[in-house]
Amino acid sequence: PAFLLENVKNLERHDKGNTFRVIMDTLQNELKYKVYHKIIDAKGFVPQHRERIFIVGFDGDTGFTWDDLRLPDPKAMTLKDILQPENEIDDKYILSDHLWHYLQDYAAKHKAAGHGFGFGLTGKNDIARTLSARYYKDGSEILVDRGPGKNPRRLTPRECSRLMGFDRNGKEFKIPVSDTRAYKQFGNAVAVPVIEEIARIMKPHIMELKEKENMAYSKQYYAHRHVQAIGNTYPQTHQRR
């Protein structure tokens, strides 16, 4: 009786808004769902600036409202909350001199040209940029600052799991794939705590629709049984002439 969709924030503006209009028209007018959408930033749920558009729909009117959403303080979590101890970090995650110089030169070139491209050097008390599926290439959008005179490093796959909210309540999410695959999958994933919160406010409305559905089914079932009962007794009382 309901659905939840997630996509990048810019979906609303893609193809001058035509893509989003087609999606909403299909959901509302063709499929007849009651549809609600909202852009939510994951920061506070996790230490990451990650704006995504969420679209929820119900096959009936239940009075759903985004006002029931409980959003945490955007500064509730910072990078230090998901980092592993430095003595656990393999040297392979530290940027080489060559790559670090390249990223600095690349950022300086674009800054001089008036562009905003560059790396994201993130301190322990900061909120990270958005983790993307391309993180495996150079990790430039989220580089962990290791202090003066030291090359920064990438997040480890375990830290990415924490950054996306997969590691919860002391339980580690199993990562059975290579680093490259893990970076791609976490970068393409949803922030789990955000989904949990949306699911929380959706649940009572889903239950209401299920209850209505069950009541309608019960009425239909008993009406059918009643007709059957009448049909079964009619030949016994009807007399041929």
Side-chain angles (χ1 to χ4, degrees):
F3 65 80
L4 168 59
L5 305 176
E6 179 261 9
N7 212 307
V8 295
K9 174 186 176 181
N10 289 337
L11 176 66
E12 284 187 294
R13 297 196 298 272
H14 182 262
D15 190 22
K16 298 181 180 179
N18 290 325
T19 300
F20 189 69
R21 279 193 290 271
V22 169
I23 291 172
M24 296 298 284
D25 180 65
T26 301
L27 294 173
Q28 293 175 319
N29 299 321
E30 291 186 30
L31 301 178
K32 305 301 181 183
Y33 280 96
K34 299 290 184 181
V35 182
Y36 311 83
H37 69 279
K38 184 177 179 66
I39 293 173
I40 301 173
D41 194 336
K43 64 182 179 182
F45 290 101
V46 292
Q48 176 187 180
H49 175 57
R50 191 183 190 86
E51 289 184 297
R52 291 294 185 265
I53 186 167
F54 295 91
I55 306 172
V56 303
F58 302 89
D59 62 356
D61 193 358
T62 64
F64 175 87
T65 173
W66 287 110
D67 291 341
D68 294 331
L69 203 67
R70 298 173 187 165
L71 297 177
D73 181 341
K75 298 180 180 179
M77 295 185 72
T78 57
L79 202 65
K80 69 176 181 295
D81 295 311
I82 61 99
L83 293 180
Q84 296 174 258
E86 282 298 316
N87 59 9
E88 294 181 6
I89 305 300
D90 193 298
D91 287 347
K92 68 180 180 179
Y93 298 110
I94 300 173
L95 268 59
S96 66
D97 290 340
H98 175 75
L99 178 56
W100 181 221
H101 287 313
Y102 167 78
L103 290 176
Q104 292 179 89
D105 291 343
Y106 182 82
K109 180 178 69 174
H110 281 281
K111 183 178 180 180
H115 302 153
F117 301 109
F119 56 85
L121 190 61
T122 311
K124 294 182 179 180
N125 294 316
D126 297 331
I127 294 169
R129 290 183 181 180
T130 302
L131 180 69
S132 73
R134 67 171 298 283
Y135 191 71
Y136 73 96
K137 292 184 177 181
D138 54 30
S140 60
E141 62 258 41
I142 307 173
L143 294 176
V144 180
D145 188 352
R146 298 175 58 241
K150 295 182 180 180
N151 292 2
R153 67 172 179 85
R154 297 180 180 87
L155 295 171
T156 67
R158 174 58 55 202
E159 290 169 333
C160 289
S161 179
R162 295 173 180 176
L163 188 66
M164 296 302 294
F166 282 86
D167 287 23
R168 303 289 300 281
N169 303 319
K171 295 182 180 180
E172 289 191 345
F173 182 78
K174 186 176 181 181
I175 307 175
V177 295
S178 67
D179 283 6
T180 297
R181 291 283 299 278
Y183 285 138
K184 288 182 178 180
Q185 291 174 11
F186 285 126
N188 271 326
V190 295
V192 176
V194 177
I195 299 300
E196 286 181 339
E197 176 57 16
I198 296 173
R200 182 190 68 80
I201 67 172
M202 288 181 69
K203 182 178 178 179
H205 301 279
I206 294 173
M207 299 306 294
E208 180 182 334
L209 290 174
K210 290 293 290 182
E211 185 176 351
K212 290 179 181 178
E213 186 180 88
N214 291 336
M215 288 178 63
Y217 175 78
S218 296
K219 289 180 180 179
Q220 186 179 20
Y221 173 77
Y222 286 114
H224 179 68
R225 289 293 301 272
H226 183 64
V227 170
Q228 279 187 324
I230 293 174
N232 291 336
T233 58
Y234 181 74
Q236 298 175 14
T237 58
H238 181 69
Q239 298 295 323
R240 277 190 177 181
R241 297 189 181 183

